[in-house]
Amino acid sequence: MKHNHVIVIGAGIGGMTAAIHLAKHGYQVTVLEKNARPGGRCDRISRDGHHFDTGPTLLVMPLLYDKEFENLGVNFRERLELERVDPTYHLVFDDGSQLALSSDLKFMEEQLDAIEPGSFQNFLRYMNEGYRHYHLGIEKLVYPDFKKPTDFFKLSNIPLIQQVKPLAKHYAGMAKYFDDPRLKSAFTFQDVYMGLSPFEAPATFSMMSYTELAHGVWYPKGGMYKLVEALYALAEEAGVEFHFNAPVDHIDIVGDTARGVDVKGKLLEADVVLANADLSYVHENLLPDGKRSKRMSRKRHSCSVISFFWGVDKPYESLPAHTLFLADDYRDNFTSIIRDLDIPENPSLYVHAPARLDPSMAPAGEDTITAIVPVGHMSENGDQDWAAMRDTAREHVFRRLRTLGIDDLEAHIKFETNFTPLSWRKRYNLVKGSTHGLCHNLTQLGIFRPDFQHPSCKNLYFVGASTRPGTGLPTAIISGRQSAQRIMGDWNGGVRA
């Protein structure tokens, strides 16, 4: 039997996962990556003994990783050395009050009832809703491969409207559980993971708070890039061939067939092409169909972030691993980001100190600090002053840290690397600098999200954040498996099944 040759464009999490599955089933797989190493936006910066993860800084939904690595034939927890992070986040509010999110229910009861008397029982009710949303959402919305509309639009799925609340707004629904706005924000900020404002996100995403506290937030020793290295090692073991510094110029289409891809003026032929590059980038830059590209550009893209990576010459032991500053003007934050494509006047922001969890992430007697400030994605008219917004964001980080008694950080920074939306676009071909690809509003969720397969090009497939089931590392791994299964179901020995 002829072994089909599959070219994968991009060595991101989804692309590598698909490559492993295909190679283990006898396909010849070549991965072409524009950058010098695998991982895509889940990247790593190392300098002078300081190590930074540019993408996610914590591992959530561990049960999904367990199952997907089992599908790859290995034990996830044997491939990575994981440490549970608890408290998961230290939340800091504008009035100076704090909340440490924890799976220790007694600790949570003490903290919650101090903020809003009686709120702990409502928290338990909210966790119960999150439990239902998590298990039904994974079973009914994440794991199924909706090849045709009737796979989703069927009588047995009608109860989902009430069961997982896709039509209800997440923040609005918090009024059933809490009165204090600090608690409403404490259990909805995770919607940013999906590139959404909690004021428009479906209430379905209460699943995120539930899984973080029930299943834990974890940190791999050596940082999140260890996940990339684990998948890369599995791909090499399976016989996948990688080419780095190999940007694809375009996908060569003849009629309804992709013949292969052009790299540096040379056609590399393939039986199947699987694009793991940003989906909007693929349609705008690698494919000839202008109409489809315009339709893609009109879809809702996620917000972006300005990130700072600081090597610091002294340790800040009082700074927890994960600190989130949540602004009182919570709604205005998201209006500035989502509607105005700007930086809020008083932004909520996140600070990560990985050396609290793994001392090897910084030299002895020093510290490694990452700060992330959510901002709007790039506008169509290009009128945003990203240098000015970057400087404003930096000052907000210093201002926030001073409220914790850290008032000398700026004087102890040895070096800084920073990313703005321009950086995300240049480094990883993310259209509009949108760090999460397409957002997860109702019309881009589940079956409404772009499919794995091109509608008219029979051997062109997609995988990654903007395809099904959605953005995020665990869902990227699921997307990789599902896209590979779609290919294997369609193709056999070079002939379409």
Side-chain angles (χ1 to χ4, degrees), residues 125-137 141 160-177 187-188 190-191 194 196-210 440-442 445:
R125 289 196 302 114
Y126 182 64
M127 287 295 101
N128 187 57
E129 176 186 282
Y131 169 88
R132 183 178 72 250
H133 289 179
Y134 175 86
H135 289 282
L136 284 171
L141 300 176
L160 289 176
I161 296 174
Q162 290 297 324
Q163 292 171 336
V164 300
K165 301 182 179 178
L167 303 181
K169 302 302 184 197
H170 194 183
Y171 191 88
M174 298 304 290
K176 294 191 306 181
Y177 301 101
F187 298 108
T188 58
Q190 296 89 346
D191 295 346
M194 310 296 157
L196 276 179
S197 159
F199 296 95
E200 62 175 336
T204 312
F205 290 131
S206 64
M207 69 165 66
M208 298 305 300
S209 291
Y210 162 76
H440 286 73
N441 59 318
L442 183 60
L445 191 65

Side-chain angles (χ1 to χ4, degrees), residues 93 116 171 178-186 188 327-328 330:
F93 303 100
E116 180 183 318
Y171 191 88
F178 307 111
D179 293 324
D180 195 297
R182 290 172 296 178
L183 298 185
K184 292 178 181 180
S185 64
T188 58
D328 284 351
Y330 194 56

